[in-house]
Amino acid sequence: MQKNIPVAVQMYTLREESEKDFVGTLKKVAELGFDGVEFAGYGGLSAQEVKTLLDDLGLRAAASHVPLEQLENNLSQVIEEMKILNSKYVVCPYLMPDRRSEQDYQALISILNQVGETCQREGITLCYHNHDFELARLSDGRMALEAIFDDTNNDHVKAEFDIYWLTKAGEKPMEWINRYKNRTPLIHLKDMTTDAEQFFAELGTGGVDLDAVLTTGEDAGVEWWVVEQDMSRRTPFESIEISINYLKSKLPNLLNK
């Protein structure tokens, strides 16, 4: 269906498992057939220890979610860790509720431009990951997420669109991916139940149009598919196994893993 776009799992999905056994959790991720991981912290290990562990397991560091405050106040260390991990993408993952006013979004655009420019000079790419709250309208009629990408530098700030949150906000993920074509190196693959609860679902078990997203990956310039499930009614390992098996049925490059 596509070129060999690799698949990672966002480790936030496995946060409780990682807290108990970070090394064992990464080992299980490798056994399930994932190509890499997207980090949300390093389990108390140094970046070098994590890199050694990844190499031993045959995994790659797709990206790291790093809180905005760290990007603002500790960027040099963040960049150094990314280099050690041989990871190209650092992601601003979430805005705290007290940073979501229109004035806050204007400030965020400036921050992202500055951080992104610094990252680019060091060979790292900054991405912004959305939820549904960024789909609220600003006073100029644009959604906050539109303002973030329209008003930041195309080369300095890229997107990590989360197709669950776009869908939950009443948007069509494909329209966003096409609108910002070649600016979406990372895509969060998620599904959503078709009932009124709109709960997080394993890939292929809900109502999100995953086929359309997977089919457009190469044309859109996607470099990593990232599986994430914020919450699960199964164990997280069971959930990501269902999801990776779904992707193995869709992506030929995963069949032999």
Side-chain angles (χ1 to χ4, degrees):
M1 178 186 285
Q2 287 292 307
K3 71 174 185 178
N4 295 346
I5 298 173
V7 179
V9 64
Q10 165 52 250
M11 292 295 287
Y12 179 77
T13 308
L14 302 165
R15 54 197 177 276
E16 294 180 4
E17 290 71 16
S18 296
E19 196 171 317
K20 296 171 191 168
D21 183 2
F22 188 76
V23 174
T25 298
L26 284 177
K27 184 177 181 183
K28 179 68 172 173
V29 166
E31 289 171 351
L32 287 173
F34 286 91
D35 299 295
V37 292
E38 183 178 56
F39 287 105
Y42 304 122
L45 303 179
S46 70
Q48 187 56 61
E49 288 171 327
V50 173
K51 180 64 167 67
T52 300
L53 180 58
L54 294 177
D55 290 345
D56 289 345
L57 295 173
L59 291 170
R60 287 183 281 161
S64 290
H65 277 200
V66 176
L68 179 59
E69 293 74 15
Q70 285 285 96
L71 298 175
E72 291 175 296
N73 302 318
N74 203 18
L75 186 57
S76 59
Q77 181 179 334
V78 170
I79 290 172
E80 182 60 29
E81 289 173 341
M82 300 297 291
K83 289 180 177 179
I84 292 170
L85 291 169
N86 194 27
S87 182
K88 184 178 177 182
Y89 297 106
V90 62
V91 183
C92 178
Y94 184 72
L95 290 183
M96 298 301 288
D98 63 354
R99 298 192 69 164
R100 298 178 194 170
S101 72
E102 182 153 347
Q103 187 175 1
D104 288 325
Y105 282 120
Q106 292 305 319
L108 175 69
I109 287 164
S110 177
I111 293 165
L112 292 176
N113 271 328
Q114 293 170 13
V115 171
E117 184 177 8
T118 302
C119 286
Q120 188 189 43
R121 286 200 301 267
E122 299 291 337
I124 307 297
T125 299
L126 174 67
C127 297
Y128 183 86
H129 170 270
N130 69 281
H131 289 76
D132 56 351
F133 54 79
E134 295 98 342
L135 282 302
R137 297 278 177 184
L138 303 177
S139 60
D140 64 6
R142 293 184 298 171
M143 299 177 201
L145 195 60
E146 289 178 295
I148 288 169
F149 291 120
D150 290 349
D151 296 351
T152 53
N153 186 300
N154 286 6
D155 295 326
H156 298 160
V157 183
K158 307 292 186 182
E160 180 178 55
F161 285 132
D162 185 304
I163 65 173
Y164 169 92
W165 290 113
L166 287 172
T167 302
K168 195 169 192 299
E171 295 291 306
K172 291 182 169 57
M174 283 303 308
E175 292 180 358
W176 285 83
I177 294 168
N178 288 330
R179 187 185 313 169
Y180 298 101
K181 190 174 180 179
N182 295 319
R183 204 175 170 182
T184 61
L186 309 173
I187 298 285
H188 265 203
L189 294 177
K190 294 184 185 177
D191 215 336
M192 185 172 70
T193 61
T194 56
D195 57 15
E197 188 176 6
Q198 297 183 308
F199 194 70
F200 303 98
E202 292 76 20
L203 297 182
T205 69
V208 175
D209 189 358
L210 295 167
D211 276 346
V213 174
L214 293 171
T215 300
T216 197
E218 185 173 357
D219 289 340
V222 176
E223 295 190 18
W224 279 95
W225 301 120
V226 182
V227 173
E228 182 183 37
Q229 190 159 335
D230 302 42
M231 291 181 282
S232 174
R233 297 214 163 90
R234 298 177 168 88
T235 71
F237 278 131
E238 288 173 326
S239 288
I240 67 167
E241 184 170 9
I242 291 169
S243 291
I244 192 67
N245 286 340
Y246 168 82
L247 291 175
K248 286 176 182 178
S249 75
K250 299 290 183 178
L251 305 174
N253 55 298
L254 290 178
L255 286 175
N256 296 323
K257 287 186 67 65

